[in-house]
């Protein structure tokens, strides 16, 4: 099972408040573990303009400001940009799927500040990580559902709408979910 490029949708009763109602985009998944970015949890009181100022990057029109997201509890000071496939960093962008790329180098922030970055993007601080077999175990214990990643959901919806929309993409009504798992 390779879930790279898929969404993880947190089930009620997961037990880890950091992932409550989270939608995680998986950037990589394999035998060594998994790495993903939470796409629906904006960081409190942090905007891209704040980060640009700290990094001494001066936005130039038509630069844009955007919220910064809590990408996960691992390396919370490290930045990641999940973006559309119309942009590729001169240094390094990871192609995750035919519709998504992830870049963690400073040049993407410079390009966003000058209006030459990707058309669609989410800025994250930190990431979610799982060791070998850990994610598979959490899925088996009813901690996560998986769904296809749609750019309209990831980039186009308000953060508060993404969890319900991701469930809806599977035909699941959030009101019908139970916090307890059962095994037949």
């Amino acid at each position: 099972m390779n879930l790279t490029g898929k969404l993880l949708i947190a089930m009620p009763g997961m037990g880890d408040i950091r992932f409550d109602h989270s939608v995680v985009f998986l950037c990589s998944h394999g035998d060594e573990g998994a790495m993903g970015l939470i796409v629906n949890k904006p960081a409190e009181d942090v905007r891209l303009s704040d980060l640009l100022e700290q990094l001494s990057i001066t936005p130039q029109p038509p630069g844009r400001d955007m919220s910064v997201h809590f990408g996960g509890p691992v390396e919370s000071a490290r930045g990641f940009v999940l973006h559309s496939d119309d942009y590729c960093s001169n240094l390094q962008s990871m192609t995750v799927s035919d519709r998504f790329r992830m870049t963690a180098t400073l040049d993407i922030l410079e390009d966003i500040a000058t209006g030459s970055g990707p058309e669609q993007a989410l800025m994250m601080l930190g990431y979610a990580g799982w060791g070998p077999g850990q994610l598979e175990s959490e899925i088996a214990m009813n901690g996560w559902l998986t769904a296809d990643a749609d750019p309209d959901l990831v980039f186009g919806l308000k953060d508060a709408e993404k969890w319900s929309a991701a469930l809806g993409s599977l035909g699941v009504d959030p009101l019908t979910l139970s916090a307890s798992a059962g095994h037949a």
Side-chain angles (χ1 to χ4, degrees), residues 19-98:
F19 292 104
D20 184 48
H21 287 85
S22 287
V23 178
V24 179
F25 180 86
L26 280 177
C27 296
S28 66
H29 179 234
D31 292 338
E32 299 83 34
M35 180 268 188
L37 299 167
I38 301 173
V39 298
N40 67 327
K41 303 268 183 177
E44 302 267 334
D45 302 322
V46 181
R47 306 273 314 157
L48 178 61
S49 56
D50 301 324
L51 295 179
L52 295 177
E53 185 176 321
Q54 288 179 2
L55 296 168
S56 300
I57 298 172
T58 304
Q60 300 171 8
R64 64 181 186 216
D65 198 13
M66 65 175 89
S67 61
V68 174
H69 287 74
F70 169 70
V74 181
E75 293 189 50
S76 60
R78 186 170 175 198
F80 301 88
V81 180
L82 179 65
H83 57 89
S84 49
D85 68 340
D86 60 331
Y87 175 88
C88 189
S89 164
N90 290 328
L91 300 175
Q92 182 176 4
S93 288
M94 174 196 291
T95 299
V96 181
S97 71
D98 61 345

